[in-house]
């Protein structure tokens, strides 16, 4: 019985690619050095899967930044501002598109479906001259073949590529991106022909947009695309992969009728209803790649349950045509549990990272083929039973408190306009107040201090002294820049979710459980294994210390319950909303303690609220109801004079703007600049927003420093659709990934722009 992996993490077990990328970007190493690290990682990944017995091993899932950007490079769809003159796309052009450079901004970055991974959004229009400009897919297939591994090359499918794109600047928003299909298919044909010539026998097209709510003409585009490719694909086995949700009945019918397609791979973890479609109508003689091993979480597979599912499918699909697979790429999970030296044995027995999931896939395939590893299955069953019965999972007091939340919508009594008036009397802020989102650059010295404290190499007193000194520097810098509402810079935090998870019960932590978020940015999601509560205050000490250093308002900085949930590996033994309510109660305790300590501005980040929105519209209302309710729970008890901020970034917010209003925050800061000020369009269309709002005025994910004039122009665009008395001026997101050499001039220009606009507004009265 055959086995397959949709995709694999790229960063390496100890983030080797991250450090190689950053060294290259900082001009400390050469392109050859970077390529050598990448080749070593690819080789080890292919060998690991081959040694584990995987039959269908993917290639071209490795990326230096993002797989959608790789497809853009393959198609030569480089926006004109990057000055590309044709030929094979090199690192300069590739990374300029991803990160921007000194003269031009980066392309838009947004969330990959409902994950915390980000992709670079293609910018397309009728005048794009597509050309075959990156041979990466073919080169990597040949590279694996030279190592003795015959892989399945993976391409982003042509229809999903277009549906994930946006009209370029200056192109009508109504422009049909699918009209470009005839222009990109010839390049796909060139790639397919080269792969066939190189010896490929299988090819995988990832078409994840099939799980979305698609209109008839969009489904027709899939039929047209693969009909056009059919003759070129002749002689190849063709796998179409889709993931993250169920397919609609219409999408499934479209999928199984695609011309030239040999196999279908679907997510049976998040797409549980898809099984019914398969059982009712599966085309004879086709292969089914059954995604039964979860590619998005770290819990060990319930092998007995998965085997039962596979046996039921075997009766429908046929023994020789069923392939065991992951639900999606393992990109979204940590790399290898072997590297975890500090997790206790009980919790460790409940987990499986990417390397272990490869083993699970193969064990299921062998069991289905009559070669069941009884000892492996027995060990797995024991771990499943241990997790269900462990007393550390359940806290009755927490469950009772969460259950008591039902029956109230937890709104602050006073309306937002009256609260803003009360807050202004207390805070006395200028018009167009300036602030930042929370974090400041994380220097090597700062990281060293945290690392040594965790390793018990320095005392707690020395650690506190060092962190306070860093806070003092950040406070003094903000005062020097004349920023109005300050932050303490979060020097005590490596990660906004990990920091809180470490102090909440019900969470476990890894040493090397890194997951790629975008580019070289990796996060280490906490593992929520049990009921959540807050044993003691988490941020009050640092926020109070920071406030004592200045007379200006100092924001208390918290991560909201929905973001903690969506950026963690969440327990799968109870509904997500129940876990979210538990986290909300813990954050509520912290908010009220900050207020008691004299913190008058408290930011509760919900950067990931939009990210968790289900992919199907029929499920939106339920999710938004409990997600927004969770946020309101955190601050329902504060005084009118306490200003509650929230922050959101790098998603499309326009379709949930009414839910954002329903959060009832006093001020929201929200990403805007990198997405071409897409957010402002919702206000142009007549949505009324009465709370404070700070659409980001510059992109912090690029090293580029915007000028005062550029920022002032952005603020003027905001003033065209928003009242000046509610508008805030701030960057898109936190500054931890930037260097002070970039941050200081950028913030200086931001403040100068705000002051310039204040003068203009005053003179206009």
């Amino acid at each position: 019985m055959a086995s397959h992996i949709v995709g694999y993490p790229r960063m390496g077990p100890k983030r080797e690619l991250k450090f190689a990328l950053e060294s290259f970007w900082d001009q400390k190493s050469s392109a050859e050095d970077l390529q050598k690290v990448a080749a070593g990682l690819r080789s080890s990944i292919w060998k690991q899967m081959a040694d584990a017995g995987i039959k269908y091993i993917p290639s071209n899932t490795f990326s230096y930044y993002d797989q959608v950007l790789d497809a853009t490079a393959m198609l030569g769809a480089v926006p004109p501002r990057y000055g590309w003159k044709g030929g094979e796309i090199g690192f300069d052009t590739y990374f300029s598109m991803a990160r921007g450079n000194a003269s031009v901004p980066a392309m838009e970055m947004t969330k990959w479906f409902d994950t915390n991974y980000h992709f670079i959004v293609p910018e397309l229009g009728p005048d794009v001259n597509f050309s075959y400009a990156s041979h990466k897919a073919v080169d990597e297939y040949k590279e694996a073949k030279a190592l003795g591994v015959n892989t399945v090359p993976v391409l982003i499918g042509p229809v999903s590529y277009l549906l994930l794109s946006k009209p370029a600047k200056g192109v009508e928003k109504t422009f049909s991106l699918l009209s470009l299909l005839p222009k990109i298919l010839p390049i796909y044909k060139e790639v397919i022909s080269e792969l066939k010539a190189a010896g490929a026998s299988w090819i995988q097209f990832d078409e994840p947009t099939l799980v979305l709510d698609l209109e008839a003409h969009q489904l027709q585009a899939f039929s047209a695309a693969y009909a056009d490719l059919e003759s070129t694909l002749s002689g190849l086995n063709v796998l179409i992969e889709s993931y993250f949700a169920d397919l609609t009945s219409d999408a499934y019918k479209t999928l199984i009728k695609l011309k030239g397609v040999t196999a279908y791979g679907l997510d049976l973890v998040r797409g549980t209803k898809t099984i019914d479609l398969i059982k009712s109508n599966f085309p004879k003689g086709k292969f089914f790649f059954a995604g039964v091993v979860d590619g998005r979480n770290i819990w060990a597979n319930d092998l007995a349950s998965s085997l039962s599912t596979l046996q039921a499918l075997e009766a429908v699909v046929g023994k020789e045509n069923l392939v065991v697979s992951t639900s999606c790429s393992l990109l979204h999970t940590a790399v290898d549990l072997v590297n975890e030296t500090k997790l206790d044995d009980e919790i460790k027995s409940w987990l499986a990272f990417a390397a272990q999931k490869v083993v699970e896939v193969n064990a299921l395939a062998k069991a289905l083929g009559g070669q069941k590893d009884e000892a492996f299955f027995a060990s797995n069953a024991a771990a499943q039973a241990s997790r269900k019965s462990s007393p550390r999972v359940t806290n009755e007091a927490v469950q009772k408190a969460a259950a008591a939340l039902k029956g109230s919508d937890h709104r602050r009594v006073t309306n937002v306009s009256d609260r803003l008036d009360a807050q202004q009397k207390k805070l006395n802020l200028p018009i167009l107040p300036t602030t930042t989102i929370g974090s400041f650059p994380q220097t090597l010295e700062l990281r060293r201090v945290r690392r040594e404290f965790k390793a018990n190499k320095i005392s707690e007193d020395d650690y506190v002294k060092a962190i306070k000194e860093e806070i003092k520097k950040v406070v003094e810098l903000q005062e020097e820049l004349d920023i109005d509402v300050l932050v303490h810079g979060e020097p005590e935090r490596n990660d906004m979710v990990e920091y809180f998870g470490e102090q909440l019960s019900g969470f476990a932590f890894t040493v090397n459980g890194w997951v790629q978020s975008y580019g070289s940015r990796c996060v280490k999601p906490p593992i929520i294994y049990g009921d959540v509560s807050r044993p003691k205050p988490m941020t009050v000490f640092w926020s109070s210390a920071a406030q004592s250093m200045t007379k200006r308002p100092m924001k208390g900085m918290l991560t909201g319950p929905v973001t903690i949930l969506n950026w963690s590996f969440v327990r799968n033994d109870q509904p997500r909303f129940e876990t979210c309510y538990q986290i909300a109660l813990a954050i509520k305790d912290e908010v009220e303690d900050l207020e008691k300590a004299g913190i008058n501005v408290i930011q509760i980040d919900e950067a990931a609220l939009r990210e968790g929105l289900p992919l199907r519209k029929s499920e939106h209302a339920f999710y938004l109801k409990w997600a927004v309710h969770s946020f309101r729970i955190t601050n329902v008890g504060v005084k009118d004079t306490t200003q509650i901020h929230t922050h959101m970034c790098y998603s499309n917010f326009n379709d949930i703007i009414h839910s954002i209003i329903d959060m009832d925050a006093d001020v929201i800061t929200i990403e805007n600049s990198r997405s071409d000020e897409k957010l402002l369009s919702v206000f142009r269309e007549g949505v009324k927003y009465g709370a404070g709002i700070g659409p980001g005025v510059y992109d912090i994910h690029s090293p580029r420093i915007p000028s005062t004039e550029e920022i002032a122009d952005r603020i003027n665009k905001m003033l065209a659709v928003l009242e000046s008395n509610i508008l805030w001026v701030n960057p898109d997101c936190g500054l931890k990934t930037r260097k002070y050499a970039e941050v200081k001039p950028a913030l200086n220009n931001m403040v100068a722009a705000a002051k310039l606009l204040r003068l203009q507004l005053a003179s206009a009265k």
Side-chain angles (χ1 to χ4, degrees), residues 479-492:
E479 288 187 326
E480 177 189 322
L481 292 166
D482 204 17
I483 291 172
D484 301 304
V485 176
L486 311 190
V487 298
H488 76 292
E490 304 176 8
E492 78 284 14

Side-chain angles (χ1 to χ4, degrees), residues 264-522:
Y264 318 104
L266 299 174
D267 182 341
L268 301 185
V269 177
R270 290 180 176 241
T272 53
K273 297 174 187 172
T274 297
I275 292 176
D276 294 333
L277 294 171
I278 295 163
K279 288 179 178 177
S280 66
N281 180 24
F282 190 81
K284 194 173 181 181
K286 301 289 187 180
F287 289 87
F288 181 61
F289 285 56
V292 292
V293 173
D294 193 351
R296 286 184 58 176
N297 217 327
I298 43 64
W299 303 109
N301 188 272
D302 184 338
L303 295 177
S305 175
S306 292
L307 185 58
S308 176
T309 299
L310 290 164
Q311 287 166 340
L313 286 167
E314 190 178 53
V316 177
V317 174
K319 193 177 187 70
E320 299 305 315
N321 293 337
L322 185 61
V323 178
V324 183
S325 184
T326 53
S327 65
C328 62
S329 172
L330 298 175
L331 170 71
H332 309 288
T333 190
V335 179
D336 196 342
L337 197 55
V338 168
N339 297 316
E340 298 310 319
T341 54
K342 295 187 178 178
L343 280 172
D344 69 67
D345 289 342
E346 182 181 35
I347 289 180
K348 202 169 179 179
S349 74
W350 302 343
L351 307 178
F353 291 0
Q356 288 69 46
K357 289 177 186 291
V358 169
V359 174
E360 288 179 337
V361 166
N362 196 54
L364 285 165
K366 288 175 74 176
L368 202 58
Q371 297 176 294
K372 186 177 179 184
D373 185 334
E374 296 291 351
F376 187 70
F377 270 71
S379 173
N380 175 267
Q384 299 292 325
S386 159
R387 187 174 163 218
K388 285 176 184 174
S389 61
S390 176
R392 68 200 299 180
V393 171
T394 306
N395 182 323
E396 286 186 19
V398 170
Q399 292 188 352
K400 195 176 287 185
L405 294 170
K406 293 169 184 172
S408 170
D409 63 359
H410 297 88
R411 291 182 187 275
R412 293 169 77 179
V413 175
T414 309
N415 68 53
V416 68
S417 60
D418 289 342
R419 296 198 309 262
L420 289 173
D421 288 344
Q423 292 155 15
Q424 179 58 17
K425 285 173 186 171
K426 187 162 191 172
L427 299 173
N428 194 29
L429 298 172
I431 200 162
L432 304 180
T434 54
T435 191
T436 63
I437 304 306
S439 60
F440 265 64
Q442 300 260 321
T443 62
L444 290 174
E445 173 62 16
L446 182 55
R447 293 179 191 276
R448 181 192 64 78
V449 167
R450 282 202 310 263
R451 190 168 58 246
E452 290 188 354
F453 178 59
K454 278 197 168 185
N456 296 315
K457 291 182 179 178
I458 60 173
S459 69
E460 185 172 359
D461 286 347
D462 287 342
Y463 171 73
V464 169
K465 183 181 176 185
I467 296 297
K468 281 187 172 179
E469 285 174 0
E470 184 69 21
I471 291 172
K472 191 167 187 290
K473 287 179 194 171
V474 170
V475 170
E476 288 174 350
L477 172 60
Q478 291 171 94
E479 288 187 326
E480 177 189 322
L481 292 166
D482 204 17
I483 291 172
D484 301 304
V485 176
L486 311 190
V487 298
H488 76 292
E490 304 176 8
E492 78 284 14
R493 308 177 194 182
N494 177 62
D495 176 85
M496 62 188 285
V497 173
E498 182 182 355
Y499 175 79
F500 290 98
E502 284 178 337
Q503 300 181 76
L504 294 168
S505 64
F507 282 74
F509 290 87
T510 63
V511 175
N512 286 297
W514 298 100
V515 179
Q516 185 183 16
S517 179
Y518 63 86
S520 68
R521 169 80 171 136
C522 297

Side-chain angles (χ1 to χ4, degrees), residues 138-197:
V138 178
D139 291 344
E140 286 190 16
Y141 173 78
K142 290 178 177 177
E143 181 184 330
K145 192 174 181 183
L147 295 169
V149 183
N150 192 20
T151 59
V152 179
V154 180
L155 301 175
I156 297 287
V159 182
S160 286
Y161 177 79
L162 293 176
L163 290 177
L164 292 168
S165 302
K166 70 173 187 177
K169 207 165 189 175
V171 174
E172 287 292 327
K173 299 301 178 191
T174 55
F175 173 71
S176 170
L177 293 160
L178 289 175
S179 69
L180 297 173
L181 204 51
K183 292 188 176 183
I184 68 170
L185 288 177
I187 291 131
Y188 274 89
K189 290 176 183 177
E190 286 188 70
V191 179
I192 294 163
S193 297
E194 286 195 7
L195 287 168
K196 282 169 72 173

Side-chain angles (χ1 to χ4, degrees), residues 65 69 81-82 94-100 105-110 118-121 123 166 169 518-519 650 670-679 695-703 710 714 731-733 738:
Y65 207 92
L69 182 62
R81 65 181 177 274
Y82 298 107
Y94 181 86
F95 288 128
S96 289
M97 289 192 286
R99 306 176 72 237
M107 294 167 70
E108 181 184 351
M109 180 170 71
T110 196
H118 301 67
F119 74 96
I120 303 298
V121 182
E123 302 173 11
K166 70 173 187 177
K169 207 165 189 175
Y518 63 86
Y650 299 101
I670 195 163
E671 181 270 324
N672 171 68
S673 61
R674 184 157 183 169
S675 56
D676 291 332
E677 295 149 352
K678 192 183 338 181
L679 173 72
V697 296
Y698 78 90
D699 174 24
I700 63 86
H701 287 100
S702 169
E710 181 183 331
R714 286 192 186 278
D732 263 352
C733 203
R738 301 268 55 89

